[in-house]
Amino acid sequence: MSPILLNLLLRSIVETVIMTAASGLISLVIGLPLGIILIATDKGGLFESRPVNLVLGGLVNAFRSIPFIILLVALIPLTRLIVGTSIGTTAAIVPLSIAAIPYYARMAAVSLREVDRGLIEAARSIGASRWTIIREVIVPESLPGLTAGFTVTLVTLIGASAMAGAVGAGGLGDLAIRYGYQRFETGVMVAVVAVLIVLVCGMQWVGDLVTRRVDHR
């Protein structure tokens, strides 16, 4: 591989990492509270409210059902409104975040729902408030599941960021399409695939390590 292509590969790796990290952080900050609201407003939840749960659950399911490539194109006007352009790494963070938020919210809700009801009832019996139960019981007890779910979300975002290259988002996907596919640079395509495999395996390894560290059961 020529030095120019090597520089392009390194720059694409950095762009992919930026897109994945930024959209992953946004999905964690917004998706986790959404997951908490989903289980808290569900039947038998601490703040049971079927209308809120149905509306929120419907929105989460609706966004999760849209294929990412369609969501990417459909959100172009919103992306332009937020960041002023629909092309480039920064622009790609908008659709990636919007796709990842409901995905992680649902994964977080599944983990939060698995907390032993006996622990919640025990906290209630000693007078803990509902917010205290969420903060001190449900979230800490769900940490292994929340961490594992976040790892899966990040791995999914790496794949989605490569797909975003199809519409000029930059990153490894863009490099693979422009050089590996359109210019028949087989070496570039092989390098991109190899880097993606390393990124995914590395991400999964770190995620598994963190999950084991926070699992005190």
Side-chain angles (χ1 to χ4, degrees), residues 13 22 50 66 86 93 97 100 104-105 117 119-120 126 132 135-136 150 166 187 190 205 214:
I13 293 172
R50 292 299 292 162
I66 302 173
S86 62
I93 293 172
S97 300
Y104 183 62
R117 295 290 303 178
L119 288 174
I120 297 174
I126 60 174
T132 301
R135 191 176 62 250
E136 303 292 339
F150 186 58
V190 171
W205 181 78
V214 299

Side-chain angles (χ1 to χ4, degrees), residues 39-40 43-47 111-142:
I39 62 111
K43 186 178 181 181
L46 295 170
F47 296 90
S111 299
L112 293 163
R113 192 174 285 117
E114 290 177 350
V115 174
D116 187 354
R117 295 290 303 178
L119 288 174
I120 297 174
E121 294 304 322
R124 272 179 162 168
S125 67
I126 60 174
S129 69
R130 291 179 290 186
W131 286 113
T132 301
I133 293 173
I134 291 173
R135 191 176 62 250
E136 303 292 339
V137 178
I138 296 179
V139 172
E141 288 293 322
S142 307

Side-chain angles (χ1 to χ4, degrees), residues 39-96:
I39 62 111
T41 57
D42 201 1
K43 186 178 181 181
L46 295 170
F47 296 90
E48 183 176 336
S49 173
R50 292 299 292 162
V52 173
N53 188 267
L54 283 173
V55 171
L56 192 58
L59 286 173
V60 167
N61 290 338
F63 274 95
R64 287 175 62 225
S65 66
I66 302 173
F68 179 67
I69 193 68
I70 296 176
L71 188 66
L72 189 65
V73 175
L75 289 175
I76 285 178
L78 178 64
T79 303
R80 284 202 184 115
L81 183 67
I82 294 175
V83 298
T85 178
S86 62
I87 298 174
T89 303
T90 305
I93 293 172
V94 176
L96 284 170

Side-chain angles (χ1 to χ4, degrees), residues 107-186:
M107 298 200 78
V110 171
S111 299
L112 293 163
R113 192 174 285 117
E114 290 177 350
V115 174
D116 187 354
R117 295 290 303 178
L119 288 174
I120 297 174
E121 294 304 322
R124 272 179 162 168
S125 67
I126 60 174
S129 69
R130 291 179 290 186
W131 286 113
T132 301
I133 293 173
I134 291 173
R135 191 176 62 250
E136 303 292 339
V137 178
I138 296 179
V139 172
E141 288 293 322
S142 307
L143 271 182
L146 294 175
T147 307
F150 186 58
T151 303
V152 174
T153 302
L154 288 178
V155 169
T156 304
L157 280 171
I158 291 176
S161 70
M163 198 185 304
V167 293
L172 291 166
D174 181 53
L175 182 67
I177 291 170
R178 285 194 295 119
Y179 288 86
Y181 176 67
Q182 295 176 345
R183 301 186 187 185
F184 303 105
E185 293 275 0
T186 306

Side-chain angles (χ1 to χ4, degrees), residues 18-34 90 93-94 96-102 104 150 153-154 157:
I18 291 173
M19 284 189 284
T20 303
S23 51
L25 180 62
I26 293 171
S27 72
L28 177 65
V29 170
I30 301 177
L32 179 56
L34 278 179
T90 305
I93 293 172
V94 176
L96 284 170
S97 300
I98 292 176
I101 288 170
Y104 183 62
F150 186 58
T153 302
L154 288 178
L157 280 171

